[in-house]
Amino acid sequence: MSNTEVLQWAAEADDSLARNKILTDDEIFRTVTAEDNDDDYVTPINPIKISHSEAGAALSTSLQWAEEQNFEVHEIMLLRRLRDRAFELKIGTAAQGKINDFFGH
């Protein structure tokens, strides 16, 4: 770095310090807690429910992609377990009936 570059860098650093206000600990605390309170007014987002069928299809696609990319065996096995678990959940949900179905209502 040449002397001119060093002087220019030092001048920019001084300008930056002059623009930034130095805060006390109390001022920092008040600023941070005020920003945290702003989050209380944020409307929560309702997550989209993903069906077991959709998850199984996505995992099957992911598994195929991982195999084509020659992923490590333990990574492929994890995807297979997840896909199989999604299938088990799908079957379990489909087989579960309502108690009213047994009483003819």
Side-chain angles (χ1 to χ4, degrees):
M1 200 181 265
S2 70
N3 288 341
T4 306
E5 291 172 329
V6 170
L7 290 175
Q8 182 180 3
W9 178 82
E12 290 172 3
D14 286 343
D15 289 343
S16 176
L17 287 173
R19 285 191 304 263
N20 295 324
K21 180 181 174 186
I22 296 176
L23 302 175
T24 66
D25 290 344
D26 290 335
E27 290 171 325
I28 293 170
F29 180 76
R30 281 194 297 270
T31 302
V32 170
T33 54
E35 289 173 1
D36 287 346
N37 290 339
D38 291 345
D39 293 342
D40 295 341
Y41 300 105
V42 175
T43 305
I45 297 174
N46 294 331
I48 298 171
K49 295 287 184 179
I50 299 171
S51 71
H52 301 310
S53 297
E54 291 173 312
L59 288 163
S60 291
T61 302
S62 299
L63 177 60
Q64 182 180 356
W65 173 78
E67 288 171 341
E68 289 172 0
Q69 301 302 315
N70 296 319
F71 274 43
E72 293 184 24
V73 173
H74 70 276
E75 295 169 322
I76 291 173
M77 293 302 296
L78 174 62
L79 287 171
R80 282 187 183 150
R81 283 196 304 267
L82 290 171
R83 181 201 57 193
D84 293 348
R85 182 71 176 125
F87 180 74
E88 290 169 3
L89 290 170
K90 176 185 171 188
I91 297 300
T93 303
Q96 184 177 7
K98 295 180 183 177
I99 195 161
N100 291 339
D101 294 342
F102 296 105
F103 296 111
H105 289 145

